[in-house]
Amino acid sequence: MKYTLLLLDADDTLLDFKKTEAHALEATFRQYRLTYNEEIHTLYHTINHRLWRAFEEGAITKDQILRRRFRNLFAELGIEEALTGFEEEYQRALGQGGFLLPQALEVCRELSRDCRLYILTNGVEATQESRLTLSGLRPYLSGVFVSETTGYQKPQREYFDYVFSRISDFDKGRALMIGDSLSSDMKGGEGAGLATCWYNPEHAPNHTDVRVDYEIQELRQLYEIARGK
């Protein structure tokens, strides 16, 4: 095996976050007896994505994301009443979303026979742990590193240093960072001196200056990369 330490992003790499987000939003809006539709989902996604990008850049904290995203959404929607506990209920609903992307379970099961698999994810610890357990992936993972617990986030170098120091017998030359985000996974992996693999099922162009060593459209393509073929 060329790579025996596989560092995997969770959302939109192994876990289907889009499906999870849609289910959680609909359930929480329904719980609060609020109208929910595709336009609201799109608006929320735009607001949330903007805040998480600011988090990756170190401009805001995770707590600020959680305080601001629904406040900003409700301001756009003209909802003025205080919705106590909305974020907490949304997090609980997110935690029930163990939906997998195609091939994720098969690939993790197969690769775990010869490699150690670690999850590197920005997010909320309890939510991510719940989703990984429900997904069925947990038995194939050697560890999970969530930004909330580490105190840092991808793509910060400190986040990767934290991870490296907590993996026994860590060998950077045998490690591969795998994920869907150029700005988080690939940029972070490159900055930490890792080989990187961009999961890009939509064939999106790379208009950044971030270096990518491998690019795949299906997770099964990891077999040959890990084995050095």
Side-chain angles (χ1 to χ4, degrees):
M1 300 291 286
K2 182 175 182 178
Y3 299 108
T4 56
L5 296 169
L6 304 184
L7 312 179
L8 293 135
D9 176 49
D11 288 319
D12 297 323
T13 300
L14 299 175
L15 299 177
D16 189 338
F17 185 73
K18 294 181 180 67
K19 186 174 182 179
T20 297
E21 180 183 72
H23 278 243
L25 282 171
E26 184 173 8
T28 312
F29 269 71
R30 184 170 60 247
Q31 180 179 342
Y32 279 78
R33 296 182 173 85
L34 295 172
T35 298
Y36 175 77
N37 53 40
E38 190 58 37
E39 289 79 9
I40 291 173
H41 184 187
T42 300
L43 178 58
Y44 169 80
H45 181 77
T46 300
I47 292 169
N48 191 49
H49 180 71
R50 187 184 305 127
L51 289 169
W52 278 103
R53 283 298 298 270
F55 173 70
E56 290 174 7
E57 294 165 1
I60 62 174
T61 66
K62 179 187 65 65
D63 286 341
Q64 287 174 309
I65 296 174
L66 305 188
R67 288 200 306 269
R68 292 179 184 180
R69 58 185 178 185
F70 286 112
R71 184 182 68 191
N72 293 356
L73 175 65
F74 295 146
E76 290 276 353
L77 297 174
I79 298 174
E80 297 179 359
E81 67 265 31
L83 297 174
T84 305
F86 196 97
E87 174 65 45
E88 290 76 11
E89 292 302 324
Y90 175 64
Q91 285 293 335
R92 274 192 279 274
L94 276 181
Q96 299 306 305
F99 307 111
L100 286 166
L101 288 175
Q103 305 174 10
L105 186 61
E106 167 209 319
V107 168
C108 287
R109 182 171 55 235
E110 177 67 23
L111 288 174
S112 69
R113 296 172 181 172
D114 300 301
C115 308
R116 283 185 284 162
L117 278 56
Y118 296 89
I119 295 293
L120 277 61
T121 177
N122 288 343
V124 178
E125 173 84 15
T127 302
Q128 297 298 71
E129 284 285 3
S130 173
R131 295 175 63 220
L132 287 166
T133 298
L134 289 170
S135 73
L137 292 175
R138 210 58 178 86
Y140 309 110
L141 304 177
S142 296
V144 177
F145 298 95
V146 185
S147 61
E148 182 180 57
T149 304
T150 67
Y152 307 101
Q153 68 269 2
K154 297 179 294 182
Q156 290 180 327
R157 178 58 189 268
E158 293 89 345
Y159 174 88
F160 287 89
D161 288 342
Y162 179 101
V163 171
F164 299 164
S165 69
R166 285 160 176 80
I167 295 178
S168 62
D169 302 318
F170 183 80
D171 181 351
K172 192 176 291 188
R174 306 278 281 176
L176 179 67
M177 179 69 220
I178 304 153
D180 69 295
S181 171
L182 288 169
S183 62
S184 175
D185 306 313
M186 300 299 97
K187 182 177 180 180
E190 179 186 16
L194 297 171
T196 58
C197 178
W198 184 27
Y199 176 56
N200 182 23
E202 304 300 325
H203 299 269
N206 180 0
H207 294 308
T208 75
D209 60 357
V210 176
R211 186 205 78 235
V212 174
D213 295 298
Y214 307 96
E215 181 178 334
I216 60 174
Q217 281 70 51
E218 294 186 359
L219 290 174
R220 287 193 187 110
Q221 292 175 271
L222 286 173
Y223 295 149
E224 291 193 355
I225 293 172
R227 291 165 181 157
K229 295 182 179 178

